[in-house]
Amino acid sequence: MTPTRLAERTALVTGGGRGIGRAISLRLAAEGALVAVHYGHDHQAAQDTVKQIEADGGRAFALRAELGVPGDAEAVWDGFDQGLAAVGAPAGVDIVVNNAGVTLPKPLADVTEEDYDRVFAVNTRAPFFILQRALPRLRDGGRIVNISSGAVRIGYPAIAAYTMTKGALDVLTPALALQLGPRGITVNTVAPGFTDTAINPTLADPQIRSALAAHSAFNRLGTPADIADVVAFLAGDDARWITGQWIDATGGVHLGL
């Protein structure tokens, strides 16, 4: 890891205080980026992430904006702009990571219209408009990374509505990549598989952990750091020739089926 690889760059990580988002925030900061750690509700987790970054010699600030409600994208960027001003950083952003999301572990028959609207509002509508409002702030040569799910290529009836939200976001990646290519901006998707985070309480059961790990070619669950490493690569100059791509970061889940 090169501490200055992302020096002089500013990043926004939505849902950046916990789980995969926390790992991404820590990794980008370790490589020199000033990281805006967005959170929706868990203030303490976001502050702890910022404190860890600062303890490691990095730079970060937290910003709160609930997603899935009217005005969410504006609130994200208002908080971002205010955070930059507070730390004396110039306006603009170089790296946008759309990581925040909610799950909906219900089969189709049990999903209500309210459930459906909520999961799409957070997982699809919010990142769309966050990116829309990012465009005038995004510097040439910037990076956009959308966090999807390996579930979009494998049938999981128990999370059909959730998977639909990620599939919709996946379609945006190549379209936006083509639009922003002339500015040297890359747009890619990273799709995690079964990852060991608190968002999945069933992982506390050793039998479930073992069963899910067995789906991977490596016979283990992914870690947030596994995903953060892929995002950090795409955020740097080494990935300048990669755009519009869907990067499978599942550890080879269901290969050969």
Side-chain angles (χ1 to χ4, degrees):
M1 186 185 305
T2 305
T4 59
R5 197 169 72 99
L6 299 178
E8 307 303 323
R9 299 185 195 183
T10 302
L12 167 69
V13 181
T14 66
R18 299 187 299 172
I20 291 172
R22 172 183 167 86
I24 293 170
S25 296
L26 292 171
R27 179 62 194 271
L28 297 181
E31 299 207 11
L34 167 61
V35 179
V37 179
H38 160 267
Y39 69 98
H41 300 283
D42 197 334
H43 172 81
Q44 190 58 54
Q47 290 299 325
D48 289 346
T49 299
V50 169
K51 289 177 182 177
Q52 184 62 59
I53 288 171
E54 292 174 341
D56 292 339
R59 300 180 302 149
F61 61 89
L63 68 96
R64 181 188 181 281
E66 182 179 356
L67 301 185
V69 298
D72 52 3
E74 291 89 343
V76 168
W77 288 113
D78 285 348
F80 180 85
D81 293 341
Q82 291 167 17
L84 290 185
V87 298
V93 65
D94 301 285
I95 302 161
V96 179
V97 182
N98 275 309
N99 166 77
V102 295
T103 59
L104 184 59
K106 291 183 179 182
L108 187 148
D110 296 337
V111 175
T112 67
E113 291 185 8
E114 291 76 15
D115 290 334
Y116 182 94
D117 289 344
R118 170 64 177 166
V119 73
F120 267 87
V122 176
N123 293 2
T124 308
R125 183 184 183 278
F128 180 94
F129 287 104
I130 286 171
L131 289 177
Q132 182 190 75
R133 287 155 177 76
L135 296 185
R137 295 175 170 84
L138 194 61
R139 298 186 182 97
D140 290 354
R143 301 286 185 262
I144 295 171
V145 182
N146 295 318
I147 304 300
S148 181
S149 169
V152 301
R153 68 168 174 82
I154 304 165
Y156 286 112
I159 55 171
Y162 166 80
T163 305
M164 288 174 65
T165 69
K166 294 301 187 178
L169 191 60
D170 289 352
V171 175
L172 179 61
T173 289
L176 199 54
L178 191 59
Q179 176 183 335
L180 298 179
R183 294 178 54 193
I185 297 168
T186 68
V187 188
N188 291 289
T189 293
V190 173
F194 300 115
T195 308
D196 193 0
T197 70
I199 196 171
N200 188 351
T202 65
L203 294 179
D205 184 326
Q207 289 186 325
I208 292 178
R209 290 179 65 89
S210 179
L212 295 181
H215 289 293
S216 165
F218 303 112
N219 195 34
R220 71 170 177 85
L221 296 175
T223 68
D226 291 328
I227 312 307
D229 288 349
V230 179
V231 173
F233 167 69
L234 292 172
D237 291 338
D238 290 346
R240 62 192 176 278
W241 203 235
I242 300 173
T243 196
Q245 301 305 302
W246 191 88
I247 310 298
D248 186 303
T250 66
V253 164
H254 287 191
L255 282 179
L257 296 182

